[in-house]
């Protein structure tokens, strides 16, 4: 088996697979890094025009792998060709992965994997497209990257739009992680640098809406205008009609008149791609991946243009930048104006422009503000910042008759929590709106505490005082998180816990001091896991907490019965307490936690039987994203016996033992990082660059 040549990330066709095809909320053990490495290793290519998937290999050993990835049945026809370049022979194999007639074809639909996260009063379904669908996204980006940027540049209103392809950069460990954790990293290490994977495109002007509120643009509008109205698009991604991309680019009437001629155009291809990714659905688009926001942005740009046009055609025309100014961040409109009489006209035209794209205003979130134009949330953030600066104060003082420095830190969690609750009541903001900012500020404070201690003499008294400070910070953090548990919040929580754990593990603290923090973390994580057990839509949150709990070490592990209760497995470890199956994420994270430890042999045995049963009962296993990812991860998992792996392969029609070996040996890692190849600190740190909201 001859392997293809790796190329730098900046020139890779499959770069979007690392940056734009997965939701932010996936568990930390999951990523596309292994999949990406496989594609580069074997020089995999997808030709979107003819639907051909090709790869470099001297023999047929990879045929079954590529058939599975493309959603084809084992035994599908594979063609071979040989070329010679620069005196070197190159063998290429290929298969037709979809009909050449185009994307809008049932034979091309692959079932995505949807999972639920907590959101508001209910849950929100996020989506991972099928691996082959992700190849289609990469091919589309490769062909149309410049057109995407062009069609996203029409609006004066948008403050988060793609402008050009981002360069790949290298990301050194953040300063506090460098200093608190000097041990060698796992397989994610490239020399001593890591690829920083943000998004495929560079975005203008604000990557985060909070930066807009602190910007010169916002302050200028506050001084120039007397009022602001906030408009939110109702269920934007759920409501988008994929055909409206053609309406946005070509115009609605032109599209209807030339319906049969737009299939090969940019808009027609984008429309068909988004429908294909969502199992053929045209109403609503997949939620979570960055490319969905790119698709929505182009549609909303046409809404922006229509709003400006119609406001300029009123009996008394309104001029943008003079009579009003609009800033749109994804699906939120911030509208500044002076004359209150214009407010109704502007809102009505916004509503009409949205309706033209089958979208609407969320009237429950419509807000009006008058001068001074400052939102309740901005006031609350300012108060939280002042509170933390006054209540968490790490200091270094010179020791008499010595050049050394002594560490101290004033931090009282009881006072912090009381004052934080008072801010929420006074400003009338929801915990959910304020929490992301609060946790980010707490994370910075925790880093300051650790950094100050590392600059001290680190004597016994310093160690006791820093442990007390960390304890107070974590008490406050756990309280804040418990008010509104969500995945983006749990990521920050786990990052702070991981920093604290590694800090105590690598700085030779006594077992008593470590136990004080570790026991506190264990007790609170257990409370949250128990709380999630009684609530719907908390599954992903629990998986983050479970992986973080694992970092405490063997003395702080959950028992088999506790794990069974959290995952709703009966006490005999024979079946779930309710009909159905554990989803892909639950299976892989639970496997990562139990590993090959003897104390969990009953759960491991349950999982082995459960996996085979789950795969066998899936009607669409051949084109199912969940089934494919589960099969590939099962085959590469070091904790499962060969019988389970072979039986899982047989469910997919791989009866030949050689096919099993081919699948097993294709790559060391697919989607789940097992054992020592997984580094939680790095996995959480890498999510900084993909946080959007």
């Amino acid at each position: 088996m001859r392997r293809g040549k790796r190329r730098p990330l900046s020139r890779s066709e499959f770069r979007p697979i690392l940056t734009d095809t997965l939701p932010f909320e996936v568990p930390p053990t999951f990523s596309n890094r292994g999949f990406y490495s496989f594609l580069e290793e074997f020089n995999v290519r997808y030709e979107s025009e003819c639907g051909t998937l090709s790869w470099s290999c001297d023999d047929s050993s990879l045929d079954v792998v590529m058939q599975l990835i493309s959603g084809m049945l084992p035994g599908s026809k594979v063609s071979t060709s040989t070329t010679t370049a620069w005196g070197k022979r190159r063998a290429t194999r290929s298969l037709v992965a979809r009909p050449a007639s185009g994307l809008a074809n049932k034979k091309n639909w692959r079932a995505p994997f949807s999972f639920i996260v907590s959101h508001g009063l209910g849950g929100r379904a996020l989506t991972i497209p099928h691996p082959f669908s992700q190849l289609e996204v990469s091919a589309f980006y490769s062909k149309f990257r410049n057109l995407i940027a062009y069609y996203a540049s029409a609006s004066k209103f948008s403050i988060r739009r793609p402008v050009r392809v981002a360069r790949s950069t290298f990301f050194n460990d953040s300063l506090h992680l460098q200093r608190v954790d000097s041990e060698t990293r796992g397989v994610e290490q490239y020399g001593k640098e890591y690829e920083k994977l943000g998004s495929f495109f560079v975005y203008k002007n604000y990557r985060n809406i909070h930066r807009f509120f602190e910007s010169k643009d916002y302050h200028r509008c506050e001084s120039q205008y007397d009022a602001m109205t906030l408009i939110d698009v109702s269920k934007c991604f759920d409501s988008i009609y994929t055909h409206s991309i053609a309406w946005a680019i070509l115009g609605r009437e032109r599209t209807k008149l030339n319906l049969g001629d737009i299939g090969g155009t940019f808009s027609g291809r984008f429309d068909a791609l988004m429908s294909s990714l969502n199992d053929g659905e045209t109403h609503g688009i997949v939620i979570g991946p960055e490319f969905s926001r790119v698709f929505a942005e182009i549609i909303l740009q046409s809404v922006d243009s229509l709003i400006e046009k119609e406001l300029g055609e009123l009996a008394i025309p309104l001029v943008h930048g003079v009579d009003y100014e609009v800033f749109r961040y994804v699906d939120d409109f911030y509208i500044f104006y002076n004359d209150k009489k214009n407010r109704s006209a502007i809102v009505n035209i916004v509503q009409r422009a949205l309706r033209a794209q089958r979208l609407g205003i969320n009237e429950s979130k419509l807000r009006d503000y008058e001068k001074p134009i400052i939102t309740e949330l901005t006031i609350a953030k300012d108060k939280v910042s002042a509170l933390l600066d006054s209540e968490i104060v790490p200091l270094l003082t010179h020791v008499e008759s010595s050049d050394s420095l002594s560490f101290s830190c004033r931090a009282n969690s009881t006072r912090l929590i009381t004052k934080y609750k008072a801010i929420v009541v006074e400003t009338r903001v929801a915990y959910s709106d304020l929490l992301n900012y609060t946790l980010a500020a707490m994370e910075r404070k925790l880093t300051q505490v650790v950094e100050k201690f590392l600059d001290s003499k680190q004597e016994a008294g310093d160690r006791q005082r820093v442990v007390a400070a960390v304890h107070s910070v974590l008490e406050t953090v756990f309280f804040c998180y418990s008010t509104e548990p969500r995945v983006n919040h749990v990521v920050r929580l786990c990052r702070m816990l991981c920093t604290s754990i590694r800090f105590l593990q690598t700085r030779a603290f006594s077992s008593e001091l470590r136990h004080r923090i570790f026991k506190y973390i264990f007790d609170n994580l257990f409370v949250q896991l128990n709380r999630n057990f009684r609530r719907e839509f908390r599954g992903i949150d629990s998986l983050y907490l479970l992986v973080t709990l694992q970092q405490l070490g063997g003395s702080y592990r959950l028992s088999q019965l506790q794990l069974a209760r959290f995952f709703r497995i009966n006490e005999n470890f024979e079946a779930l307490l309710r009909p159905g199956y554990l989803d892909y994420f639950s299976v892989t994270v639970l496997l990562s936690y139990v590993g090959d430890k003897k104390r969990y042999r009953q759960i491991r045995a349950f999982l082995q039987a459960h996996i085979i049963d789950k795969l066998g009962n899936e009607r669409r296993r051949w084109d199912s994203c969940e089934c494919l990812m589960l099969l590939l991860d099962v085959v590469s998992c070091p904790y499962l016996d060969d019988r389970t792996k072979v039986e899982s392969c047989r469910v997919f029609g791989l009866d030949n033992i050689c096919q099993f070996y081919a699948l097993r040996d294709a790559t060391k890692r697919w989607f789940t990082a097992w054992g020592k190849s997984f580094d939680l600190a790095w996995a959480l740190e890498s999510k900084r660059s993909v946080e959007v909201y």
Side-chain angles (χ1 to χ4, degrees):
M1 182 188 300
R2 187 172 65 79
R3 296 174 180 263
K5 211 174 184 183
R6 289 190 182 221
R7 297 174 301 149
L9 177 63
S10 58
R11 300 202 303 270
S12 172
E13 175 185 332
F14 298 118
R15 180 177 167 188
I17 287 177
L18 289 175
T19 61
D20 282 38
T21 60
L22 296 180
F24 168 81
E25 294 84 353
V26 296
T29 53
F30 177 91
S31 77
N32 269 344
R33 287 180 178 269
F35 181 42
Y36 170 86
S37 297
F38 171 82
L39 297 174
E40 287 297 308
E41 186 113 23
F42 295 101
N43 200 35
V44 177
R45 293 292 172 266
Y46 175 63
E47 299 294 335
S48 58
E49 298 299 328
C50 57
T52 300
L53 192 65
S54 64
W55 61 98
S56 296
C57 191
D58 289 329
D59 53 41
S60 61
S61 56
L62 284 182
D63 289 4
V64 66
V65 182
M66 302 310 297
Q67 288 160 352
L68 287 171
I69 288 174
S70 60
M72 309 289 282
L73 293 172
S76 299
K77 183 180 178 181
V78 175
S79 303
T80 61
S81 63
T82 303
T83 58
T84 303
W86 302 99
K88 292 184 178 181
R89 175 180 169 275
R90 181 177 179 178
T92 300
R93 302 177 72 81
S94 62
L95 58 81
V96 177
R98 69 165 175 83
S101 57
L103 285 166
N105 190 305
K106 273 190 175 183
K107 293 182 180 179
N108 185 59
W109 297 347
R110 272 73 173 179
F113 170 49
S114 293
F115 60 100
I116 307 295
V117 297
S118 55
H119 182 78
L121 296 176
R124 168 178 282 179
L126 302 181
T127 301
I128 296 176
H130 190 282
F132 178 74
S133 299
Q134 296 182 48
L135 297 182
E136 292 184 303
V137 171
S138 293
F140 186 85
Y141 268 39
S142 180
K143 185 176 180 63
F144 295 113
R145 62 179 73 185
N146 293 327
L147 277 178
I148 289 173
Y150 171 76
Y151 285 118
S153 64
S155 169
K156 296 177 182 177
F157 301 170
S158 178
I159 58 175
R160 188 190 183 274
R161 60 181 178 84
V163 292
R164 62 175 173 81
V165 176
R167 297 176 181 176
S168 63
T169 59
F170 287 95
F171 181 59
N172 287 315
D173 287 340
S174 66
L175 180 61
H176 72 279
L177 279 179
Q178 284 185 37
R179 299 188 66 186
V180 304
D181 180 15
S182 58
E183 62 192 40
T184 304
R185 299 285 178 181
V187 296
E188 299 295 352
Q189 186 170 6
Y190 300 92
K192 290 188 177 179
E193 298 175 313
Y194 299 88
E195 295 284 3
K196 183 177 183 179
L197 305 174
S199 57
F200 184 83
F201 292 102
V202 172
Y203 286 81
K204 186 180 181 180
N205 295 322
Y206 304 101
R207 181 66 191 247
N208 190 299
I209 187 60
H210 304 304
R211 294 183 180 178
F212 168 64
F213 291 130
E214 299 166 356
S215 70
K216 291 181 180 179
D217 285 330
Y218 185 85
H219 293 148
R220 173 182 56 78
C221 287
E222 187 178 12
S223 62
Q224 184 176 343
Y225 301 97
D226 294 330
M228 181 186 79
T229 294
L230 167 61
I231 293 177
D232 174 76
V233 180
S234 179
K235 297 182 178 179
C236 180
F237 288 62
D238 290 308
S239 303
I240 284 179
Y241 186 48
T242 63
H243 295 342
S244 60
I245 189 73
W247 304 346
I249 293 174
L250 303 175
R252 194 162 185 167
E253 293 305 317
R254 181 183 171 189
T255 300
K256 289 185 175 181
L257 289 173
N258 300 279
L259 195 60
D261 300 325
I262 66 171
T265 65
F266 168 77
S267 58
R269 296 280 292 275
F270 211 166
D271 171 8
L273 173 63
M274 297 304 291
S275 173
S276 172
L277 296 174
N278 203 19
D279 207 19
E281 291 290 333
T282 58
H283 185 77
I285 59 176
V286 296
I287 300 176
E290 179 60 33
F291 68 77
S292 288
R293 285 186 280 274
V294 171
F295 184 81
E297 177 62 30
I298 294 175
I299 292 172
L300 290 170
Q301 291 247 334
S302 71
V303 173
D304 296 346
S305 298
L306 184 58
I307 291 169
E308 184 179 13
K309 177 177 178 292
E310 292 200 2
L311 286 173
E313 293 175 348
L314 291 172
I316 302 177
L318 298 182
V319 180
H320 185 261
V322 178
D323 302 299
Y324 74 97
E325 200 152 346
V326 178
F327 298 89
R328 179 180 53 76
Y329 183 86
V330 190
D331 57 354
D332 290 324
F333 290 83
Y334 301 86
I335 304 170
F336 294 86
Y337 53 92
N338 282 316
D339 194 335
K340 289 185 179 180
K341 296 178 183 177
N342 295 331
R343 189 262 186 196
S344 295
I346 294 172
V347 172
N348 288 338
I349 285 176
V350 170
Q351 197 161 24
R352 190 158 62 242
L354 287 169
R355 198 179 297 123
Q357 297 292 353
R358 297 192 176 183
L359 300 171
I361 290 176
N362 185 343
E363 296 189 5
S364 67
K365 290 188 177 181
L366 195 144
R367 296 285 185 273
D368 295 303
Y369 300 92
E370 295 184 358
K371 240 176 186 179
I373 305 173
I374 184 168
T375 66
E376 301 88 344
L377 185 58
T378 301
I379 296 171
K381 288 176 182 176
D382 186 63
K383 287 180 175 290
V384 167
S385 179
L387 171 64
L388 298 183
D389 285 342
S390 64
E391 294 293 336
I392 303 178
V393 187
L395 297 171
L396 291 175
T397 55
H398 283 280
V399 179
E400 291 185 12
S401 68
S402 172
D403 292 332
S404 62
L405 297 170
S406 175
F407 171 86
S408 63
C409 182
R410 183 175 72 250
N412 186 303
S413 58
T414 302
R415 189 164 59 241
L416 269 169
I417 292 169
T418 300
K419 291 186 176 182
Y420 181 71
K421 290 190 290 185
I423 290 172
V424 172
V425 173
E426 289 169 9
T427 58
R428 298 180 180 179
V429 298
Y431 276 122
S432 57
D433 294 332
L434 185 58
L435 190 51
N436 208 38
Y437 177 85
T438 302
L439 291 177
M442 292 296 296
E443 190 172 5
R444 290 191 293 271
K445 279 297 178 182
L446 179 62
T447 300
Q448 289 176 15
V449 169
V450 170
E451 290 294 326
K452 285 291 184 181
F453 169 79
L454 294 177
D455 288 332
S456 73
K457 195 174 182 180
Q458 302 181 26
E459 293 185 337
D462 298 323
R463 292 173 182 275
Q464 291 176 353
R465 287 187 289 272
V466 77
V467 166
V470 169
H471 193 281
S472 290
V473 170
L474 294 184
E475 278 188 284
T476 308
V477 166
F478 269 113
F479 168 79
C480 293
Y481 169 74
S482 68
T483 61
E484 188 66 32
R486 289 187 183 178
V487 177
N488 57 329
H489 302 152
V490 82
V491 171
R492 291 192 182 277
L493 169 67
C494 292
R495 200 155 55 209
M496 283 184 271
L497 296 179
C498 195
T499 297
S500 303
I501 292 167
R502 293 208 169 188
F503 169 59
L504 293 168
Q505 286 174 335
T506 59
R507 292 290 160 177
F509 282 83
S510 68
S511 58
E512 290 81 9
L513 289 176
R514 279 201 309 272
H515 179 69
R516 180 182 173 188
I517 299 296
F518 286 10
K519 181 66 165 59
Y520 179 78
I521 292 174
F522 176 86
D523 289 343
N524 279 271
L525 289 181
F526 186 86
V527 168
Q528 290 299 327
L529 286 167
N530 197 44
R531 182 185 183 192
N532 292 348
F533 169 69
R534 298 192 301 271
R535 297 188 178 190
E536 288 188 285
F537 315 129
R538 295 281 191 248
I540 297 296
D541 306 53
S542 295
L543 300 183
Y544 270 90
L545 299 178
L546 188 65
V547 172
T548 303
L549 191 61
Q550 191 174 4
Q551 307 303 304
L552 294 172
S555 300
Y556 302 90
R557 280 192 163 266
L558 297 173
S559 69
Q560 276 205 128
L561 286 176
Q562 288 170 332
L563 280 174
R565 180 167 174 260
F566 291 145
F567 285 87
R568 302 190 180 186
I569 302 169
N570 66 23
E571 293 185 0
N572 296 323
F573 304 98
E574 294 174 349
L576 295 179
L577 294 175
R578 60 184 182 184
Y581 296 94
L582 296 175
D583 72 2
Y584 164 76
F585 284 146
S586 296
V587 169
T588 53
V589 172
L590 186 51
L591 268 175
S592 296
Y593 187 85
V594 303
D596 55 4
K597 293 178 172 53
K598 293 181 179 179
R599 71 176 83 176
Y600 299 124
R601 60 182 179 275
Q602 289 173 290
I603 283 187
R604 192 162 48 250
F606 165 79
L607 287 173
Q608 291 182 151
H610 189 77
I611 288 167
I612 297 170
D613 196 36
K614 177 180 174 69
L615 292 175
N617 279 281
E618 174 59 51
R619 290 188 299 109
R620 290 187 59 182
R621 73 180 71 92
W622 305 109
D623 59 3
S624 164
C625 175
E626 182 181 17
C627 288
L628 175 61
M629 294 190 303
L630 182 58
L631 173 68
L632 295 176
D633 278 347
V634 161
V635 170
S636 64
C637 178
Y639 311 130
L640 297 175
D641 58 33
D642 282 348
R643 185 193 66 81
T644 302
K645 298 179 182 182
V646 170
E647 286 297 320
S648 297
C649 288
R650 283 176 178 164
V651 169
F652 274 79
L654 309 181
D655 296 318
N656 190 322
I657 194 64
C658 293
Q659 293 177 319
F660 163 67
Y661 287 136
L663 202 60
R664 186 195 65 181
D665 298 337
T667 185
K668 291 182 179 179
R669 168 184 170 184
W670 285 101
F671 302 100
T672 298
W674 303 110
K676 293 182 179 180
S677 68
F678 175 63
D679 186 331
L680 177 61
W682 168 244
L684 295 173
E685 190 69 21
S686 65
K687 284 185 176 286
R688 287 184 189 273
S689 60
V690 291
E691 290 173 320
V692 178
Y693 296 105

